[in-house]
Amino acid sequence: MLVQSGHAWLVPGGGVEEGEDLADAAARELREETGLTVAPAGLRPVAYTSGHADLGWASGLFRDDFFLYRVTSHQVDPSGLNEFEREHYRGHRWWTHAELAATRETIYPANLAALVADLTAGHVPASPIALPWHH
């Protein structure tokens, strides 16, 4: 997805619709943006970030919540993207921890490499940890 200064890599995500809880919204967004269908109960909350932003189409206080779900493989299918997402979508890729740690590219959320390292090592937090706000 494009950002003002060029491009950035983003994890799948989006807004919570009226009546949805966070895990339901995360499962829906994962399905829409990657084609991966998961049960909301299978998603484990591991991190969040919060802060003010002006995105042009919305401004104010935002909160992003991140969930853990492990797959051994998945063929990404972005056909469920909405019009805005399709306008800004430039591709996807799977990153190894080493690639995340070494890249100079912009990746959101901030500190994703450290979080992935902890999760890969089996250090899943008992409650979601705070990540730095990225705007």
Side-chain angles (χ1 to χ4, degrees):
M1 181 171 293
L2 294 180
V3 293
Q4 290 178 346
S5 61
H7 75 273
W9 292 97
L10 307 168
V11 297
V16 177
E17 295 178 357
E18 190 171 330
E20 278 185 316
D21 69 17
L22 290 177
D24 289 334
R28 177 184 49 77
E29 289 288 348
L30 197 57
R31 183 181 65 256
E32 290 172 358
E33 296 184 6
T34 71
L36 181 63
T37 300
V38 303
L43 298 172
R44 174 113 184 239
V46 293
Y48 70 92
T49 184
S50 183
H52 288 275
D54 184 350
L55 305 176
W57 51 271
S59 63
L61 179 63
F62 290 85
R63 177 177 165 128
D64 298 332
D65 290 85
F66 303 95
F67 294 81
L68 171 64
Y69 186 81
R70 295 181 187 269
V71 296
T72 55
S73 67
H74 173 68
Q75 194 67 21
V76 174
D77 174 10
S79 63
L81 295 174
N82 67 35
E83 183 179 340
F84 176 82
E85 292 163 339
R86 282 191 302 274
E87 245 178 68
H88 297 283
Y89 178 78
R90 298 295 179 262
H92 62 270
R93 69 176 279 193
W94 291 100
W95 295 71
T96 66
H97 169 256
E99 291 168 334
L100 283 173
T103 190
R104 294 183 189 264
E105 295 197 55
T106 302
I107 296 179
Y108 297 122
N111 291 2
L112 182 61
L115 177 61
V116 168
D118 286 346
L119 296 173
T120 302
H123 303 266
V124 179
S127 59
I129 61 168
L131 297 175
W133 181 239
H134 51 78
H135 289 278

